[in-house]
Amino acid sequence: MRCTWMAGAALVALTMTAGGCGSKKDDSALLREEATNLRAQLEQRNNALASAEADRRTLAMQLADLRRQLEDANARAADVGRTTGFEGIENVQSVYGDGEITLIIESDVLFDSGQAALKQSSQRSLSQVASVLNSQYPGNGIRITGHTDTDPIQRSGWKSNFHLGAERAYAVMEYLRQRGVEVNRMHIASFGPNRPMGTKQASRRVEIAVLQNE
Protein backbone atom coordinates (compact mmCIF):
# COMPACT_ATOMS: atom_id res chain seq x y z
CA MET A 1 0.00 0.00 0.00
CA ARG A 2 2.80 2.37 0.90
CA CYS A 3 4.59 1.56 -2.35
CA THR A 4 1.46 2.33 -4.32
CA TRP A 5 1.14 5.74 -2.62
CA MET A 6 4.78 6.62 -3.30
CA ALA A 7 4.44 5.63 -6.95
CA GLY A 8 1.40 7.86 -7.30
CA ALA A 9 3.20 10.80 -5.70
CA ALA A 10 6.15 10.37 -8.02
CA LEU A 11 3.84 10.33 -11.04
CA VAL A 12 2.17 13.56 -9.92
CA ALA A 13 5.55 15.23 -9.39
CA LEU A 14 6.75 14.14 -12.83
CA THR A 15 3.59 15.47 -14.44
CA MET A 16 3.99 18.85 -12.71
CA THR A 17 7.63 19.06 -13.76
CA ALA A 18 6.79 18.28 -17.35
CA GLY A 19 4.03 20.88 -17.31
CA GLY A 20 6.41 23.52 -15.93
CA CYS A 21 8.98 22.93 -18.68
CA GLY A 22 6.31 23.25 -21.34
CA SER A 23 5.14 26.56 -19.88
CA LYS A 24 8.69 27.96 -19.88
CA LYS A 25 9.16 26.95 -23.51
CA ASP A 26 5.92 28.68 -24.48
CA ASP A 27 6.95 31.86 -22.64
CA SER A 28 10.35 31.88 -24.37
CA ALA A 29 8.73 31.55 -27.79
CA LEU A 30 6.35 34.38 -27.01
CA LEU A 31 9.22 36.60 -25.89
CA ARG A 32 11.17 35.85 -29.05
CA GLU A 33 8.13 36.65 -31.17
CA GLU A 34 7.57 39.88 -29.26
CA ALA A 35 11.22 40.86 -29.73
CA THR A 36 10.95 40.14 -33.46
CA ASN A 37 7.84 42.30 -33.70
CA LEU A 38 9.52 45.12 -31.79
CA ARG A 39 12.56 44.98 -34.06
CA ALA A 40 10.29 45.16 -37.10
CA GLN A 41 8.45 48.14 -35.62
CA LEU A 42 11.75 49.86 -34.81
CA GLU A 43 12.97 49.33 -38.37
CA GLN A 44 9.72 50.78 -39.72
CA ARG A 45 10.09 53.83 -37.47
CA ASN A 46 13.72 54.31 -38.55
CA ASN A 47 12.75 54.04 -42.21
CA ALA A 48 9.93 56.53 -41.72
CA LEU A 49 12.31 58.89 -39.92
CA ALA A 50 14.89 58.64 -42.72
CA SER A 51 12.19 59.28 -45.32
CA ALA A 52 10.93 62.29 -43.37
CA GLU A 53 14.48 63.69 -43.13
CA ALA A 54 14.96 63.26 -46.89
CA ASP A 55 11.64 65.03 -47.49
CA ARG A 56 12.71 67.82 -45.14
CA ARG A 57 15.98 68.33 -47.04
CA THR A 58 14.14 68.33 -50.36
CA LEU A 59 11.63 70.89 -49.09
CA ALA A 60 14.45 73.04 -47.69
CA MET A 61 16.20 73.07 -51.09
CA GLN A 62 12.93 73.88 -52.86
CA LEU A 63 12.29 76.71 -50.40
CA ALA A 64 15.80 78.13 -50.94
CA ASP A 65 15.29 77.96 -54.72
CA LEU A 66 11.95 79.76 -54.44
CA ARG A 67 13.58 82.47 -52.35
CA ARG A 68 16.26 82.96 -55.00
CA GLN A 69 13.61 83.16 -57.70
CA LEU A 70 11.72 85.73 -55.64
CA GLU A 71 14.86 87.81 -55.17
CA ASP A 72 15.58 87.67 -58.91
CA ALA A 73 12.00 88.64 -59.72
CA ASN A 74 12.17 91.56 -57.28
CA ALA A 75 15.47 92.68 -58.80
CA ARG A 76 14.03 92.52 -62.32
CA ALA A 77 10.94 94.41 -61.20
CA ALA A 78 13.16 97.10 -59.70
CA ASP A 79 15.03 97.39 -63.00
CA VAL A 80 11.86 98.01 -64.99
CA GLY A 81 11.70 101.68 -65.81
CA ARG A 82 15.05 102.36 -64.17
CA THR A 83 16.80 105.40 -65.56
CA THR A 84 20.58 105.55 -65.80
CA GLY A 85 21.21 109.12 -66.91
CA PHE A 86 22.52 108.01 -70.29
CA GLU A 87 19.11 107.97 -71.97
CA GLY A 88 18.83 110.20 -74.99
CA ILE A 89 22.54 110.26 -75.87
CA GLU A 90 22.78 109.77 -79.61
CA ASN A 91 24.17 106.41 -80.79
CA VAL A 92 24.52 105.15 -77.20
CA GLN A 93 22.47 102.19 -75.98
CA SER A 94 22.36 101.66 -72.22
CA VAL A 95 21.61 98.27 -70.67
CA TYR A 96 21.20 97.61 -66.95
CA GLY A 97 21.78 94.17 -65.47
CA ASP A 98 23.60 92.40 -62.64
CA GLY A 99 24.14 95.72 -60.93
CA GLU A 100 26.09 97.17 -63.87
CA ILE A 101 25.20 99.75 -66.50
CA THR A 102 26.65 98.88 -69.89
CA LEU A 103 26.81 101.46 -72.66
CA ILE A 104 27.04 99.99 -76.16
CA ILE A 105 28.38 102.12 -79.00
CA GLU A 106 28.88 100.65 -82.45
CA SER A 107 32.44 101.00 -83.69
CA ASP A 108 31.18 102.21 -87.07
CA VAL A 109 29.91 105.29 -85.21
CA LEU A 110 33.23 105.85 -83.44
CA PHE A 111 35.85 104.81 -86.00
CA ASP A 112 36.49 104.46 -89.70
CA SER A 113 36.94 100.91 -90.96
CA GLY A 114 40.13 99.33 -89.61
CA GLN A 115 41.08 102.50 -87.70
CA ALA A 116 41.46 103.32 -84.00
CA ALA A 117 41.29 107.13 -84.19
CA LEU A 118 37.96 108.56 -83.05
CA LYS A 119 35.80 110.24 -85.64
CA GLN A 120 35.11 113.89 -85.01
CA SER A 121 31.39 113.16 -85.26
CA SER A 122 31.51 110.70 -82.35
CA GLN A 123 32.99 113.09 -79.82
CA ARG A 124 29.73 114.84 -78.96
CA SER A 125 28.17 111.60 -77.74
CA LEU A 126 31.30 110.63 -75.80
CA SER A 127 31.40 114.08 -74.20
CA GLN A 128 27.85 113.55 -72.95
CA VAL A 129 28.81 110.12 -71.62
CA ALA A 130 31.76 111.67 -69.75
CA SER A 131 29.48 114.34 -68.28
CA VAL A 132 27.10 111.72 -66.84
CA LEU A 133 29.99 109.62 -65.52
CA ASN A 134 31.41 112.64 -63.71
CA SER A 135 28.13 113.94 -62.31
CA GLN A 136 26.18 110.78 -61.45
CA TYR A 137 28.84 108.07 -61.07
CA PRO A 138 31.92 109.87 -59.70
CA GLY A 139 33.06 106.95 -57.53
CA ASN A 140 32.31 103.99 -59.79
CA GLY A 141 34.87 101.93 -61.63
CA ILE A 142 34.62 101.91 -65.42
CA ARG A 143 35.49 99.02 -67.72
CA ILE A 144 35.95 99.79 -71.42
CA THR A 145 36.06 96.83 -73.80
CA GLY A 146 36.73 96.68 -77.53
CA HIS A 147 34.95 94.15 -79.75
CA THR A 148 35.34 93.33 -83.45
CA ASP A 149 33.62 91.14 -86.00
CA THR A 150 35.00 87.71 -86.86
CA ASP A 151 36.60 88.68 -90.17
CA PRO A 152 40.38 88.22 -89.96
CA ILE A 153 42.62 91.27 -90.31
CA GLN A 154 43.81 91.61 -93.91
CA ARG A 155 44.71 95.16 -94.93
CA SER A 156 44.56 97.43 -91.88
CA GLY A 157 47.99 96.47 -90.52
CA TRP A 158 46.85 95.35 -87.06
CA LYS A 159 48.36 92.10 -85.84
CA SER A 160 44.94 90.75 -84.88
CA ASN A 161 41.39 91.75 -84.05
CA PHE A 162 42.41 91.68 -80.38
CA HIS A 163 44.97 94.41 -81.03
CA LEU A 164 42.41 96.49 -82.91
CA GLY A 165 39.84 96.07 -80.13
CA ALA A 166 42.39 97.07 -77.49
CA GLU A 167 43.46 100.21 -79.37
CA ARG A 168 39.86 101.29 -79.84
CA ALA A 169 39.11 100.77 -76.15
CA TYR A 170 42.20 102.81 -75.30
CA ALA A 171 41.11 105.62 -77.64
CA VAL A 172 37.75 105.86 -75.86
CA MET A 173 39.40 105.80 -72.43
CA GLU A 174 41.81 108.55 -73.43
CA TYR A 175 38.99 110.75 -74.69
CA LEU A 176 37.01 110.26 -71.46
CA ARG A 177 40.16 111.15 -69.50
CA GLN A 178 40.44 114.38 -71.46
CA ARG A 179 36.84 115.10 -70.48
CA GLY A 180 37.60 114.82 -66.78
CA VAL A 181 36.98 111.15 -65.99
CA GLU A 182 39.71 110.02 -63.61
CA VAL A 183 42.01 107.55 -65.30
CA ASN A 184 42.62 105.57 -62.11
CA ARG A 185 39.04 104.31 -62.12
CA MET A 186 39.08 103.18 -65.75
CA HIS A 187 40.55 100.03 -67.24
CA ILE A 188 40.40 98.56 -70.72
CA ALA A 189 40.18 95.11 -72.26
CA SER A 190 39.73 93.59 -75.70
CA PHE A 191 37.61 90.58 -76.54
CA GLY A 192 38.35 90.86 -80.24
CA PRO A 193 35.96 88.58 -82.16
CA ASN A 194 35.15 86.34 -79.19
CA ARG A 195 31.80 87.90 -78.25
CA PRO A 196 29.96 88.48 -81.51
CA MET A 197 26.46 89.93 -81.72
CA GLY A 198 23.71 89.13 -84.22
CA THR A 199 25.36 90.94 -87.13
CA LYS A 200 28.89 91.95 -88.07
CA GLN A 201 28.00 95.61 -87.69
CA ALA A 202 26.60 95.06 -84.19
CA SER A 203 29.63 92.95 -83.28
CA ARG A 204 31.97 95.87 -84.01
CA ARG A 205 31.45 97.92 -80.87
CA VAL A 206 32.92 99.47 -77.76
CA GLU A 207 31.23 98.82 -74.43
CA ILE A 208 31.57 101.10 -71.42
CA ALA A 209 30.49 99.36 -68.20
CA VAL A 210 29.79 101.37 -65.06
CA LEU A 211 30.63 98.98 -62.23
CA GLN A 212 28.99 98.62 -58.85
CA ASN A 213 30.70 100.22 -55.90
CA GLU A 214 32.06 97.53 -53.57
Side-chain angles (χ1 to χ4, degrees):
M1 183 69 177
R2 183 177 179 182
C3 290
T4 301
W5 178 85
M6 291 179 63
L11 180 61
V12 171
L14 181 60
T15 302
M16 292 178 63
T17 302
C21 290
S23 177
K24 288 181 179 179
K25 289 181 180 179
D26 291 343
D27 290 345
S28 178
L30 289 173
L31 288 173
R32 286 195 299 272
E33 182 179 357
E34 183 178 2
T36 300
N37 291 335
L38 289 172
R39 281 194 295 270
Q41 292 179 30
L42 179 61
E43 184 176 0
Q44 289 177 353
R45 298 297 189 276
N46 286 335
N47 291 338
L49 182 61
S51 178
E53 177 62 19
D55 290 342
R56 186 195 67 78
R57 288 195 297 267
T58 299
L59 289 173
M61 289 188 292
Q62 292 175 348
L63 180 60
D65 185 56
L66 287 173
R67 285 174 176 164
R68 285 193 296 270
Q69 292 181 34
L70 178 60
E71 290 173 358
D72 291 343
N74 288 336
R76 289 194 299 271
D79 291 343
V80 174
R82 178 189 177 98
T83 59
T84 63
F86 298 100
E87 293 80 14
I89 300 178
E90 188 178 5
N91 298 317
V92 176
Q93 176 189 359
S94 62
V95 178
Y96 184 85
D98 296 329
E100 296 182 2
I101 301 168
T102 301
L103 310 179
I104 303 172
I105 312 172
E106 290 186 3
S107 290
D108 293 358
V109 172
L110 298 172
F111 308 98
D112 289 323
S113 178
Q115 302 300 310
L118 286 170
K119 291 181 180 179
Q120 189 73 25
S121 58
S122 70
Q123 295 180 6
R124 181 172 179 272
S125 294
L126 287 177
S127 294
Q128 292 176 314
V129 168
S131 177
V132 176
L133 289 174
N134 288 329
S135 61
Q136 297 190 32
Y137 305 95
N140 295 74
I142 301 165
R143 181 182 64 243
I144 304 169
T145 54
H147 303 261
T148 69
D149 59 31
T150 56
D151 290 344
I153 297 292
Q154 293 180 344
R155 295 186 299 273
S156 63
W158 301 103
K159 291 183 179 180
S160 70
N161 279 316
F162 291 99
H163 289 81
L164 176 58
E167 288 296 329
R168 286 179 168 178
Y170 179 82
V172 171
M173 182 186 72
E174 179 61 17
Y175 186 83
L176 294 178
R177 183 193 66 78
Q178 294 173 8
R179 293 298 173 179
V181 181
E182 296 175 351
V183 70
N184 61 1
R185 65 189 183 105
M186 294 188 287
H187 68 275
I188 65 170
S190 173
F191 290 101
N194 284 355
R195 295 187 178 181
M197 303 288 275
T199 65
K200 287 185 178 181
Q201 181 177 347
S203 297
R204 298 189 296 268
R205 67 197 187 278
V206 172
E207 295 184 357
I208 303 171
V210 183
L211 309 180
Q212 275 187 321
N213 284 327
E214 296 183 357

